[in-house]
Amino acid sequence: MVATSNLSSKSTACISELLHQGFHHANISDFDYWDYIVPEPNLNEVVFEERTCQSLVKMLENCLSKSKQTKLHCSKVLIPEQLTKKIAQDVLRLSSTEPCGLRGCIIHVNLEIGNVCKKLDKIIYDPSIVPTFELTLVFKQDCCSWPSFRDFFFTRACFASGSKRTLILSPGFRLIKKKLYSLIGTVIEEC
């Protein structure tokens, strides 16, 4: 449906006059309904959210890169395309209802290999803000790919050092939200 206006001016006075007369008496064609009901997207907010998302993607990738040598003992970590962006978008969605948003978040990054969950790092988006909630991110190893099986069967037999391994992450992940200061107690959300 397309609503058009036959009024010469779309001022708030015209709209309020129509509303005072009773909306049911007003003809939808008397004014452009969608101009007043659907807010225009704020381009600055969209750009800011995209920049925040990209910043969070970089933080996640840096966390994995740093953990590669220190905790994972491998030479490469292969990440499925768009995985870190999807995670960043979910983190932004979960932080949108918090008082300080993403700035009040601590992200605990883990990797699940088999039945073992290995702690990789902790990301604090804004260290100057007291955290109001925690997110626990659990990456999963892709066990269905050839390099994962190769590393399982030939662990250190073919390679002189364990740092030659390639870790392939699964496109699946777990993100658990824990509110730190809640009047109703600890609130946990999982997506």
Side-chain angles (χ1 to χ4, degrees):
M1 175 179 106
V2 176
T4 59
S5 172
N6 61 9
L7 295 176
S8 60
S9 170
K10 294 182 189 178
S11 70
T12 55
C14 289
I15 300 301
S16 61
E17 182 182 324
L18 289 171
L19 292 176
H20 283 10
Q21 291 174 2
F23 188 77
H24 58 280
H25 296 300
N27 184 352
I28 194 73
S29 65
D30 288 341
F31 61 93
D32 194 352
Y33 177 78
W34 296 109
D35 279 351
Y36 298 96
I37 300 302
V38 179
E40 291 186 28
N42 184 343
L43 187 57
N44 290 335
E45 281 183 27
V46 172
V47 170
F48 176 74
E49 187 170 315
E50 184 59 32
R51 285 184 185 154
T52 305
C53 186
Q54 287 302 318
S55 172
L56 195 51
V57 165
K58 288 286 184 202
M59 291 173 121
L60 290 167
E61 289 172 353
N62 288 340
C63 171
L64 289 170
S65 179
K66 189 169 70 174
S67 298
K68 181 171 61 173
Q69 294 290 328
T70 59
K71 307 248 173 112
L72 299 174
H73 307 293
C74 61
S75 61
K76 293 180 187 173
V77 176
L78 299 179
I79 305 168
E81 188 175 355
Q82 302 294 318
L83 177 64
T84 51
K85 185 172 184 175
K86 168 78 172 103
I87 292 169
Q89 290 169 340
D90 282 352
V91 168
L92 288 173
R93 182 181 53 79
L94 288 172
S95 64
S96 67
T97 58
E98 293 299 318
C100 297
L102 183 60
R103 295 174 55 220
C105 178
I106 294 177
I107 305 171
H108 299 279
V109 182
N110 300 299
L111 172 66
E112 185 179 287
I113 302 174
N115 293 334
V116 178
C117 197
K118 189 177 221 174
K119 292 182 182 184
L120 300 182
D121 205 354
K122 177 171 54 172
I123 298 173
I124 302 172
Y125 193 80
D126 187 347
S128 68
I129 302 293
V130 175
T132 58
F133 70 106
E134 293 179 342
L135 291 174
T136 302
L137 169 62
V138 182
F139 286 106
K140 297 179 181 186
Q141 181 181 19
D142 187 359
C143 296
C144 301
S145 62
W146 164 245
S148 295
F149 284 126
R150 181 193 66 212
D151 289 342
F152 176 75
F153 288 118
F154 300 112
T155 306
R156 297 192 185 175
C158 290
F159 305 118
S161 72
S163 66
K164 296 286 185 188
R165 290 180 356 133
T166 299
L167 174 68
I168 300 176
L169 296 180
S170 165
F173 64 92
R174 213 171 34 244
L175 195 58
I176 304 162
K177 178 180 179 180
K178 179 181 176 186
K179 292 188 177 203
L180 299 177
Y181 305 102
S182 176
L183 296 175
I184 58 173
T186 303
V187 178
I188 297 177
E189 295 179 42
E190 186 170 343
C191 67

